[in-house]
Amino acid sequence: MKPTIRSLLVLLFLVIFFLAAVGWAQYSPSLRWKTLRTPHFDIHYVAGNDSLALRAAYIIEEEVYPRVTRYFNYLPGRTDFVLNTCVDIPNGFAASFPRRMEVLMDFPSVPFSAYSDSDWLSYVALHEFVHINHLYMARGGFANFLKLFGQMNLVNAMTSAWFLEGTAVNLETSCTTGGRGRSTYHRGKLWAQLAAGRLGNLVRDGNFLPNSLPRDKPYVTGYFFLNYLRQKYGDDIIMQVSDYYSKFPFLGLNWAFRRKTGKWVGTLYKDFLKKERQQMQVYLDSLPANPQPYIFRTNERLEFYGKPLWLDNRRILIHCTSNEEFPTLYRIDLQTGRKRRVKRLSVLPSQCNGLANNKFYYSWVRPDPLYPSQIVSDIYELNLDSGKVRRLTQNAHLKSPSPSPDGRQIVAVRNEKGYSNLVLLDLESNPPGVYQLTHFKRANTLNPCWSPDGETIAFCLNQQGQQALYTVSRNGSNLQKRLVLPHQLQFKTGILLPTFTPDGRTVIFVSNFRGMENIFAFELETKNLYQLTFEPWGAYSPAISPDGEKLAFTAEDADGRHLVVIPMNRQQWKAVPLLKIRLEEKYSIFTKKEIPTYFRLDSLRPAENYNGLRQLFPPKWWLPMAIADSRGGALGIFSFPMDALGKHAAQLMVVYNPKTEKPYGNLFYRYAGIFPHPKVHLYSLPVKRTYWSEPGSYWTRYSGGEI
């Protein structure tokens, strides 16, 4: 064997061994975790985040637990609650095995929740705890049957996605001052599909399907449909249907709706669509009859364009993603309509990126190659001339980069465990230095951008229930609140994605001040406010051409999000009146006074070091199983216990055949708290073997252990 081949085989063996050793690890073994025990939750967090854990304890016990359990009249039992500060993605999820919920501590910059005046942690935790209730909720004889298998209810997990997610979004909106139900962004996605005639079947409209829009159908359709039923049948209709379904799950969700409303789900859904069409028509009639003409517009289906960046007065640099290819950066010529691919990206850049000196700056939320639950956002630079990509920061938790006009500095948003502030990157040093620009407490900064002279930075701030437009000097001084828009009726009004005009006197931004998200202009000196676009389903990511004569943005419709260019004609700017259309909604299920205050932070014991091993035994769930042996078969149970952080995992099987009076078993254990991860395997199983010298076979016991 040649030395090169031998070396490659040895290297391949080492790689396989290395990957096998870390295959089940979720977090780095170097992280030290602690546990704060509350009356109903075990809150797990990385050491050093004690204030965050106390805030989570207050939210989950004072605001979330009493509201959800009172609404469903069900107590799901003790739940693990993981605060993941190692991820720069705003999200959360709930799981059955083990029973836990996890919140990824980052604040979103997209419209559905960036307008919220509620704590991000509050309504995400409530959303996931609703799922915990759904997953384990069981009544009557069905509940007694499930006790045979421990803490497990796979039936509820198979409920229609629109009902699971629609219920969670309804409760997150009704029981907090935030939630996606207060966002016109979701309403626009629903109405875009309705106007295109693509809604009519709840199975198709309320579940995740390939090549189908919107991509979050269960959340959108489920919320508005169930909210319609709450208005018609009362706030507790979701609880009544859930209660009946938990008693008789095998009769189906459709039968539960029939019993509680007198109608099948399909009939109720048709009534809902009829009312939505009426409200949509009222909204469409309120729009101007003659919007500004398009200079350019893309029309491809299932394509989603990001933020446009002007290369010059006729060419735009923009990234696009679709179901058929990876995110790709394109150069579009507005005169010829030609779209030329610049570079295929391995990841979708954020909606906030920048361009300076023919270099494209973007943030990439990159997962750790060894530990999938650690995903950190960093800033990257793409040289458009050479096509080379350079990583500017290492595990810095930075996103939304905006380069200064001279290309010497970048302003970006730094995630600070659910809150955020602005920082400056000095590109003239190697590696780039990072300097704090703002020092807000319990606030979130969003979408920074530079003025044309490079002296001022505009950004959006979400703090204490108010979202406003701010400016600050590049050295951190002269911080000014420029504009605050009041909430309009039941919707939360926000300001996002600001950008300066070339003369620096006007800030262009996105807001839902008049219903759906559209683009507005605010003159800094005169303080006049104008509306520039009237897209029926939303306009985003504005960008002004260098000569100030064209406005590029992205527009939402039933086929995706498209690039649009219109003339910047100040004569057609509309002074902003208040919204006159009231879209009837109903939100509050509980008020603060209706929930008794019983939880006190000073009653908690000090946090203790995380101990995942005690979560494994005894197993909390099990399933029946059978294996073949010499006397027909042996019956027993199987379980796969795991702790909340994935440090400890085991596979346990115990079976017994009364004919042979022989027990069999299999135990596998893996520990990911150190590297490499030790594994222990003990087994004693029946095995059927074949004779070597003569035909036939025989049964024997195969016992042993491996480390």
Side-chain angles (χ1 to χ4, degrees):
M1 183 181 294
K2 296 182 179 180
T4 55
I5 298 178
R6 185 185 300 112
S7 301
L8 290 175
L9 290 177
V10 172
L11 178 62
L12 179 62
F13 171 79
L14 292 176
V15 170
I16 294 175
F17 172 80
F18 181 73
L19 293 178
V22 300
W24 284 6
Q26 296 294 315
Y27 302 94
S28 170
S30 63
L31 295 177
R32 189 168 68 89
W33 289 80
K34 303 191 74 174
T35 300
L36 180 66
R37 296 177 63 84
T38 69
H40 305 101
F41 296 87
D42 289 336
I43 302 176
H44 310 296
Y45 63 97
V46 178
N49 296 303
D50 300 273
S51 60
L52 174 62
L54 289 174
R55 179 162 66 94
Y58 178 83
I59 288 173
I60 199 71
E61 289 286 0
E62 179 74 7
E63 300 178 3
V64 173
Y65 185 85
R67 284 171 166 81
V68 175
T69 55
R70 180 177 176 181
Y71 182 76
F72 288 105
N73 192 26
Y74 180 76
L75 304 177
R78 194 163 193 84
T79 304
D80 290 302
F81 182 19
V82 180
L83 296 173
N84 190 343
T85 54
C86 307
V87 174
D88 293 326
I89 298 177
N91 209 338
F93 62 87
S96 299
F97 313 122
R99 177 166 56 198
R100 71 183 183 116
M101 47 189 286
E102 182 168 337
V103 173
L104 313 182
M105 294 304 300
D106 188 16
F107 188 82
S109 58
V110 294
F112 82 79
S113 53
Y115 300 156
S116 169
D117 61 0
S118 179
D119 194 319
W120 158 253
L121 177 60
S122 176
Y123 66 85
V124 175
L126 192 143
H127 182 104
E128 303 308 333
F129 189 60
V130 170
H131 285 322
I132 293 293
N133 268 260
H134 257 177
L135 290 172
Y136 287 94
M137 190 173 177
R139 310 278 194 188
F142 181 63
N144 295 327
F145 171 74
L146 288 177
K147 290 180 181 179
L148 298 175
F149 309 104
Q151 300 175 2
M152 185 183 66
N153 187 354
L154 294 177
V155 177
N156 284 351
M158 294 184 288
T159 308
S160 298
W162 65 265
F163 187 71
L164 287 174
E165 299 299 346
T167 299
V169 176
N170 260 276
L171 268 292
E172 98 185 15
T173 304
S174 303
C175 299
T176 71
T177 57
R180 280 164 279 196
R182 291 187 171 89
S183 168
T184 52
Y185 177 64
H186 274 64
R187 172 74 81 179
K189 289 192 287 187
L190 178 77
W191 281 359
Q193 300 299 320
L194 187 61
R198 295 176 184 169
L199 298 183
N201 185 301
L202 187 57
V203 175
R204 181 191 62 211
D205 302 341
N207 292 285
F208 296 105
L209 297 174
N211 299 325
S212 180
L213 297 177
R215 292 176 174 175
D216 54 350
K217 271 187 174 184
Y219 298 85
V220 176
T221 305
Y223 166 75
F224 287 107
F225 179 41
L226 292 179
N227 193 56
Y228 160 77
L229 296 179
R230 283 178 47 213
Q231 296 178 40
K232 186 173 183 179
Y233 296 100
D235 279 336
D236 62 348
I237 185 61
I238 301 176
M239 182 274 294
Q240 293 181 29
V241 172
S242 300
D243 184 79
Y244 188 88
Y245 180 79
S246 67
K247 295 177 182 177
F248 311 103
F250 298 107
L251 296 179
L253 190 63
N254 198 13
W255 181 254
F257 273 99
R258 172 73 175 180
R259 292 286 296 179
K260 295 303 176 181
T261 66
K263 295 182 178 180
W264 299 108
V265 172
T267 304
L268 294 170
Y269 187 61
K270 290 180 180 178
D271 296 341
F272 157 71
L273 292 180
K274 181 179 179 180
K275 182 177 180 180
E276 285 295 315
R277 288 190 183 95
Q278 295 173 352
Q279 293 189 5
M280 180 184 67
Q281 192 58 50
V282 173
Y283 164 73
L284 292 176
D285 292 342
S286 69
L287 297 178
N290 297 312
Q292 294 202 45
Y294 295 149
I295 297 176
F296 179 85
R297 181 185 175 97
T298 60
N299 294 296
E300 299 91 341
R301 175 165 166 74
L302 296 176
E303 288 199 347
F304 296 84
Y305 285 87
K307 180 181 179 180
L309 301 169
W310 290 89
L311 293 167
D312 50 42
N313 291 320
R314 57 174 283 183
R315 295 182 304 160
I316 289 177
L317 184 73
I318 191 169
H319 71 265
C320 176
T321 183
S322 68
N323 290 354
E324 299 179 355
E325 63 177 353
F326 286 102
T328 305
L329 196 63
Y330 289 101
R331 183 184 291 115
I332 298 179
D333 191 308
L334 300 182
Q335 292 186 0
T336 64
R338 182 182 178 185
K339 185 170 71 172
R340 178 184 175 186
R341 188 172 71 186
V342 176
K343 187 176 182 61
R344 181 169 293 175
L345 304 173
S346 57
V347 68
L348 177 65
S350 66
Q351 287 293 322
C352 302
N353 41 61
L355 181 69
N357 299 333
N358 216 32
K359 295 178 180 178
F360 175 64
Y361 296 92
Y362 62 98
S363 60
W364 180 5
V365 184
R366 186 174 187 175
D368 189 287
L370 301 181
Y371 309 106
S373 290
Q374 297 179 206
I375 309 175
V376 178
S377 179
D378 279 299
I379 306 298
Y380 292 78
E381 174 192 88
L382 169 63
N383 191 313
L384 298 180
D385 295 326
S386 64
K388 294 183 178 180
V389 175
R390 181 166 70 107
R391 185 174 183 175
L392 299 180
T393 61
Q394 296 285 337
N395 300 324
H397 301 278
L398 299 181
K399 59 183 179 180
S400 302
S402 177
S404 60
D406 57 13
R408 295 181 178 181
Q409 290 181 310
I410 291 177
V411 61
V413 175
R414 178 162 61 190
N415 178 22
E416 298 174 348
K417 302 168 186 176
Y419 297 120
S420 59
N421 268 293
L422 297 184
V423 298
L424 280 179
L425 276 73
D426 183 7
L427 297 182
E428 295 185 331
S429 61
N430 190 17
V434 180
Y435 308 97
Q436 188 91 9
L437 184 64
T438 62
H439 300 82
F440 295 105
K441 302 295 184 182
R442 297 178 65 88
N444 291 96
T445 55
L446 305 167
N447 318 135
C449 68
W450 292 83
S451 62
D453 60 6
E455 295 298 325
T456 304
I457 297 169
F459 64 96
C460 304
L461 182 74
N462 190 306
Q463 185 179 40
Q464 297 179 351
Q466 188 180 75
Q467 190 157 345
L469 176 68
Y470 277 74
T471 59
V472 64
S473 299
R474 66 187 303 165
N475 60 4
S477 63
N478 196 25
L479 179 67
Q480 297 185 54
K481 181 188 292 186
R482 295 289 190 168
L483 176 65
V484 178
L485 296 177
H487 294 320
Q488 293 297 301
L489 304 177
Q490 78 279 6
F491 292 116
K492 300 297 183 182
T493 300
I495 300 174
L496 285 176
L497 302 167
T499 186
F500 282 92
T501 54
D503 59 12
R505 298 179 179 179
T506 304
V507 176
I508 311 296
F509 61 90
V510 174
S511 178
N512 61 339
F513 185 56
R514 293 200 63 201
M516 302 302 172
E517 282 77 7
N518 266 287
I519 297 173
F520 293 77
F522 178 68
E523 296 177 340
L524 297 177
E525 295 180 359
T526 65
K527 301 188 184 304
N528 292 328
L529 183 65
Y530 303 92
Q531 184 168 353
L532 277 60
T533 66
F534 298 88
E535 293 294 323
W537 318 127
Y540 307 91
S541 304
I544 311 297
S545 60
D547 59 9
E549 296 184 357
K550 292 183 283 292
L551 169 65
F553 59 93
T554 57
E556 193 95 15
D557 66 11
D559 293 325
R561 184 171 291 185
H562 305 286
L563 172 64
V564 178
V565 181
I566 63 174
M568 276 285 287
N569 187 352
R570 285 180 175 263
Q571 303 299 323
Q572 296 187 9
W573 289 10
K574 305 291 184 181
V576 176
L578 294 179
L579 181 65
K580 298 180 181 179
I581 306 301
R582 183 181 181 89
L583 305 177
E584 296 181 1
E585 299 286 348
K586 191 174 183 180
Y587 288 107
S588 60
I589 290 180
F590 299 122
T591 63
K592 189 76 173 178
K593 296 181 180 179
E594 292 177 309
I595 301 299
T597 301
Y598 67 95
F599 175 72
R600 295 179 57 187
L601 287 176
D602 56 9
S603 66
L604 296 178
R605 295 180 180 179
E608 58 190 40
N609 292 328
Y610 177 80
N611 186 350
L613 185 60
R614 67 184 180 188
Q615 300 177 28
L616 300 188
F617 302 102
K620 297 179 177 61
W621 65 272
W622 48 86
L623 289 173
M625 71 169 303
I627 62 173
D629 69 352
S630 60
R631 299 294 297 273
L635 300 177
I637 60 172
F638 167 82
S639 186
F640 181 59
M642 180 183 293
D643 71 315
L645 299 181
K647 284 190 174 184
H648 303 267
Q651 293 180 11
L652 175 65
M653 181 190 71
V654 178
V655 295
Y656 177 76
N657 190 337
K659 295 181 180 180
T660 61
E661 298 183 353
K662 293 181 179 180
Y664 301 100
N666 182 62
L667 174 63
F668 176 85
Y669 170 76
R670 183 270 306 157
Y671 176 60
I674 59 175
F675 180 82
H677 308 322
K679 303 175 184 179
V680 178
H681 187 197
L682 304 176
Y683 49 87
S684 179
L685 300 170
V687 177
K688 190 175 184 180
R689 297 185 180 276
T690 303
Y691 291 108
W692 287 93
S693 58
E694 57 184 84
S697 59
Y698 64 97
W699 285 90
T700 185
R701 180 184 290 266
Y702 181 59
S703 302
E706 300 173 354
I707 297 179

